[in-house]
Amino acid sequence: MTTETLVSKLQLVGFSAKEARIYIVLLSLGSSPASACASKAGVNRSSAYVVLRSLEVKGFVKETGAQGRRHFKAVSPDVIFQRAHDVALQHQRNLEEVESILPALKGMNTEEDHSPTIEMYQGKEGVRTAIRGTRKCREKIIRLISSGERMHHILGEEFDDSVKQRAQMGIKTRSIHPDNEFFRDIANRGLLFDMDEDVFLSNNDFSFPADVAIYDDTIRYISDQSGGLVINVKSQKIADVMKELFDLAWNEAKRLQKNRTRKGRSL
């Protein structure tokens, strides 16, 4: 790898071009005086001192004593990597914090267009895109009406993985499902989690013609027609109304399930 490539890569993690050159030189020389660094890096001695002091402040170079002279030594490249890793993690946390306050900020913006947006995806890849969207759920809860079989028919073996990944990310579901053989099999495979709030209704009374998910500012409709059809409606106000309506339906479904359980007919 060329020196220029190394310099450009180090600039990505906070080095200036001169700092990167001096750091690379120190790695190859080991503990050395500023004059040796300046000579090999192709800079004058006074500039080398300024750069070395800057690197020392950043924690990338240490001053050492050797034979009564001031020497400098580069820290391990592992330190550079760990610093970059820590910065990247902090940037990710900052991004998540900003994302978490977006709804509040948007609610304060009186000039923002609050008209709902509609997205449509088709086919298996479209369903995958919709699932990736739910993994960004900020509220950590998805309200869901689903037959289960529909998604399994579209995704095949990927269905189990998507359910496990959602649970691993700490996103729970409050769901209404049909009480059928498919969900009995799901239970046997360990894909019904304690964190979820699942209610099962008689397949004879409810047809579950399509899947509906409500989370954050999104209402998602999924049908298996044409190999998979996804329609996302994005509107915080509409989503809030739908969440309240869903919770009313879920509470009634829970009551119906209890009645069936007393009669020994529920999953």
Side-chain angles (χ1 to χ4, degrees):
M1 189 175 293
T2 67
T3 298
E4 291 306 315
T5 299
L6 294 172
V7 169
S8 66
K9 298 295 185 185
L10 287 172
Q11 286 180 281
L12 296 175
V13 292
F15 285 76
S16 70
K18 284 186 177 179
E19 288 172 342
R21 292 183 188 282
I22 293 290
Y23 176 77
I24 292 167
V25 163
L26 273 177
L27 282 177
S28 62
L29 292 177
S31 181
S32 303
S35 57
C37 295
S39 176
K40 187 159 186 178
V43 299
N44 61 55
R45 188 179 300 183
S46 59
S47 292
Y49 270 114
V50 172
V51 173
L52 285 165
R53 286 305 178 198
S54 176
L55 286 169
E56 189 176 13
V57 169
K58 292 180 178 180
F60 298 145
V61 162
K62 294 181 180 179
E63 183 176 341
T64 62
Q67 300 175 352
R69 301 175 64 188
R70 293 163 64 189
H71 281 55
F72 298 89
K73 181 180 180 180
V75 300
S76 167
D78 289 335
V79 174
I80 309 297
F81 174 79
Q82 187 60 51
R83 186 78 59 83
H85 183 263
D86 292 344
V87 169
L89 284 178
Q90 187 58 54
H91 284 170
Q92 181 60 35
R93 293 190 193 101
N94 293 344
L95 180 62
E96 291 172 356
E97 290 294 331
V98 172
E99 187 178 24
S100 71
I101 65 172
L102 273 180
L105 293 176
K106 287 181 177 180
M108 297 175 186
N109 186 358
T110 57
E111 296 184 357
E112 184 176 4
D113 182 7
H114 292 285
S115 301
T117 61
I118 299 176
E119 304 167 338
M120 186 172 73
Y121 308 98
Q122 289 183 297
K124 188 173 183 177
E125 187 55 41
V127 174
R128 288 196 188 109
T129 300
I131 290 173
R132 285 195 292 269
T134 59
R135 290 175 189 154
K136 298 178 182 178
C137 176
R138 297 184 301 274
E139 297 173 336
K140 297 298 183 183
I141 180 170
I142 300 169
R143 291 163 171 85
L144 179 65
I145 299 174
S146 172
S147 70
E149 291 176 296
R150 186 172 295 105
M151 293 288 284
H152 190 270
H153 174 70
I154 298 170
L155 294 175
E157 294 180 358
E158 295 178 41
F159 175 82
D160 288 14
D161 292 337
S162 69
V163 173
K164 292 175 183 176
Q165 288 170 8
R166 186 265 304 164
Q168 288 168 358
M169 295 176 74
I171 301 172
K172 74 175 186 177
T173 61
R174 180 176 296 155
S175 308
I176 302 174
H177 299 299
D179 186 354
N180 58 19
E181 289 298 325
F182 177 80
F183 274 102
R184 292 188 184 90
D185 183 53
I186 286 288
N188 290 335
R189 298 207 306 272
L191 295 177
L192 295 181
F193 302 98
D194 291 339
M195 66 187 290
D196 296 331
E197 301 172 345
D198 297 312
V199 173
F200 298 91
L201 295 179
S202 169
N203 213 21
N204 297 325
D205 299 329
F206 300 93
S207 61
F208 297 89
D211 288 10
V212 176
I214 310 163
Y215 62 95
D216 295 341
D217 63 351
T218 301
I219 304 98
R220 187 192 71 197
Y221 167 95
I222 294 185
S223 167
D224 56 2
Q225 69 183 72
S226 303
L229 173 66
V230 181
I231 300 175
N232 282 345
V233 178
K234 288 183 174 289
S235 166
Q236 190 63 59
K237 290 184 177 179
I238 296 176
D240 288 343
V241 171
M242 293 301 295
K243 288 170 190 174
E244 290 194 12
L245 290 174
F246 178 92
D247 288 344
L248 287 171
W250 186 87
N251 285 326
E252 176 60 13
K254 189 174 182 181
R255 186 188 68 79
L256 292 173
Q257 179 180 257
K258 285 182 179 178
N259 289 341
R260 295 182 67 237
T261 299
R262 292 192 192 102
K263 298 175 182 178
R265 292 185 296 174
S266 178
L267 179 72

